[in-house]
Amino acid sequence: MSIFIGGAWSYANGSLHIGHLSSLLPGDVLARYYRLKGEEVLYVSGSDCNGTPIAIKAKQQGVKPKEIAEKYHKEFKESFDQLGFSYDCYTRMDTGLHHEVVQKVFLQLLEKGWLYKKKEEQCFCETCEQFLPDRFVEGTCPHCNAETSGDQCDYCSNLLNPIEFRNKACKTCDDEPIIKSTEHFYYKLSSLQKEMEKIISEAKINKTWRENAVHLSGRYVKEGLVDRAVSRDLPNGVPVPVEGYEEKKIYVWIEAVTGYYSASKKWALENKRDEAEFWNENTIAYYVHGKDNVPFHSIIWPAILKSINKNPLPTYIVSNEFVTMSKRSYRLAETGLYGYQIC
Ligand SMILES: [Zn+2]
Ligand SMILES: [Zn+2]
């Protein structure tokens, strides 16, 4: 039996702390357990060195995103080594291999007809002279009225589009952004409604996903899955591999989760093995992370895998709750705190 274990990728924009460890530790326990049993195990993770949280921090500190990513990736790797985490491969998202693999997945989705282009309205900061994706925009959640930012409300967990926020402000300069039109690639997530309903109801019956994962995912499919933009106007990340769109970056919804596959490829290359040993329908796949990562592992990643005919889908989802501190749940993405999560 082959066991694949994917530990969540921490954003390289702030130091690790007890919250990361409590949410990631179950992955290491599983890896050691299955190795002792004599099973073939591939346990991977890495540092998320792309994306908006790092771009924000770099802008605030007046340095290049790469400097921030470099500093924290090194720190993460040393911390995990010292703590005895037994990853078979701990990598990072700014490697050439990762970019190559993500672009290949993007092109596969495009060729198979899962992506289409559409113009959309987006927040644009005239002071910073750039489009503001997700976490660059702060405001009030239109569903629960809490102060929030990004593409998912910290409080009510609804998926958000920042143009819906009330009292919008640019996270970098605090000025109010304007709404401007830009063209992006969209993923036909809505076409997978039936498949996702089936996957979630099977996970519920078999008790293979944590209750919070079943509950949250169930809520998303009940509300109806909607097509999602999968490219962004961002300074760092993986360029869209389509002529005329190279300035745009592949959005984290495709990029980050594909890291599990690119890390497997890296491991295979370094160990003269084949990642296909763990990417087939006979492998049992565990995904270990915090609850803010649920939809990416319970909906987005299974949807992508289905769209490009790759197995296994996530068999087990080990998603951990937040612990609230000072009356607020923190997410790694915005604060570097990630919430003090319990297993
Ligand atoms: Zn809300
Ligand atoms: Zn601004």
Side-chain angles (χ1 to χ4, degrees):
M1 188 165 59
S2 298
I3 308 288
F4 175 83
I5 304 164
W9 297 53
S10 304
Y11 274 121
N13 72 333
S15 296
L16 294 175
H17 56 80
I18 195 78
H20 291 92
L21 302 183
S22 64
S23 73
L24 294 174
L25 195 57
D28 196 67
V29 172
L30 287 163
R32 286 168 187 273
Y33 167 74
Y34 281 115
R35 285 189 200 116
L36 275 175
K37 275 183 79 184
E39 311 291 2
E40 285 289 334
V41 174
L42 178 58
Y43 177 30
V44 304
S45 187
S47 311
D48 187 342
C49 296
N50 295 331
T52 43
I54 293 155
I56 290 172
K57 187 136 188 170
K59 219 163 186 175
Q60 284 165 347
Q61 295 189 0
V63 296
K64 287 208 159 54
K66 201 156 182 70
E67 281 177 52
I68 302 277
E70 197 64 47
K71 177 184 166 197
Y72 289 110
H73 170 72
K74 197 168 162 268
E75 197 184 287
F76 290 179
K77 202 170 173 337
E78 282 167 11
S79 301
F80 285 126
D81 282 347
Q82 281 170 13
L83 288 159
F85 269 71
S86 60
Y87 293 120
D88 295 300
C89 177
Y90 186 87
T91 179
R92 53 195 291 171
M93 285 190 195
D94 50 359
T95 65
L97 178 68
H98 176 70
H99 282 217
E100 219 175 273
V101 171
V102 171
Q103 289 183 329
K104 213 172 149 195
V105 167
F106 188 91
L107 288 175
Q108 275 179 289
L109 290 170
L110 192 64
E111 279 154 21
K112 288 178 189 288
W114 287 99
L115 304 182
Y116 62 93
K117 282 180 265 182
K118 193 179 108 181
K119 284 218 158 86
E120 65 165 6
E121 309 264 86
Q122 213 180 324
C123 294
F124 182 89
C125 178
E126 292 177 305
T127 315
C128 300
E129 294 178 329
Q130 70 167 96
F131 280 101
L132 302 178
D134 308 331
R135 295 189 180 106
F136 274 86
V137 188
E138 289 176 319
T140 315
C141 170
H143 303 281
C144 72
N145 283 321
E147 287 293 310
T148 191
S149 76
D151 57 2
Q152 189 185 14
C153 180
D154 294 346
Y155 299 90
C156 67
S157 295
N158 274 300
L159 294 180
L160 302 171
N161 182 341
I163 65 166
E164 303 165 350
F165 288 177
R166 285 191 281 271
N167 310 316
K168 288 184 271 293
C170 166
K171 195 157 189 164
T172 316
C173 70
D174 220 29
D175 285 345
E176 191 184 344
I178 59 159
I179 309 290
K180 213 171 152 176
S181 174
T182 177
E183 192 178 31
H184 281 295
F185 285 87
Y186 273 71
Y187 175 42
K188 290 182 188 168
L189 189 59
S190 61
S191 309
L192 287 159
Q193 175 77 25
K194 285 266 166 306
E195 278 94 335
M196 297 319 297
E197 280 173 10
K198 189 164 166 264
I199 289 170
I200 295 161
S201 84
E202 279 170 8
K204 186 177 181 180
I205 292 162
N206 299 330
K207 293 190 179 359
T208 42
W209 295 4
R210 285 267 173 95
E211 262 178 49
N212 57 7
V214 170
H215 176 74
L216 252 182
S217 321
R219 219 177 78 188
Y220 292 133
V221 293
K222 203 171 163 205
E223 285 165 7
L225 296 177
V226 291
D227 293 354
R228 293 277 168 185
V230 289
S231 58
R232 284 290 192 276
D233 297 292
L234 265 178
N236 60 337
V238 182
V240 168
V242 178
E243 214 189 319
Y245 294 87
E246 299 91 341
E247 288 301 306
K248 296 182 189 288
K249 303 297 184 304
I250 298 173
Y251 190 44
V252 66
W253 285 17
I254 290 184
E255 201 227 314
V257 286
T258 303
Y260 295 115
Y261 187 60
S262 68
S264 308
K265 261 197 175 317
K266 186 172 190 287
W267 166 84
L269 282 171
E270 285 170 356
N271 294 280
K272 295 192 172 54
R273 298 272 294 266
D274 187 347
E275 73 278 1
E277 292 170 42
F278 293 92
W279 289 91
N280 57 61
E281 55 205 10
N282 299 318
T283 296
I284 294 174
Y286 284 85
Y287 288 91
V288 182
H289 48 259
K291 114 175 150 179
D292 54 340
N293 278 326
V294 163
F296 310 106
H297 296 85
S298 68
I299 292 176
I300 309 291
W301 188 221
I304 293 170
L305 291 170
K306 271 217 158 279
S307 303
I308 61 170
N309 303 323
K310 196 167 272 304
N311 280 302
L313 302 184
T315 326
Y316 290 94
I317 288 186
V318 186
S319 41
N320 302 291
E321 286 289 327
F322 296 149
V323 168
T324 303
M325 198 176 70
S326 306
K327 295 185 183 165
R328 220 203 123 155
S329 301
Y330 289 91
R331 291 167 69 185
L332 163 76
E334 283 146 328
T335 60
L337 283 171
Y338 205 9
Y340 285 82
Q341 299 173 349
I342 40 171
C343 300

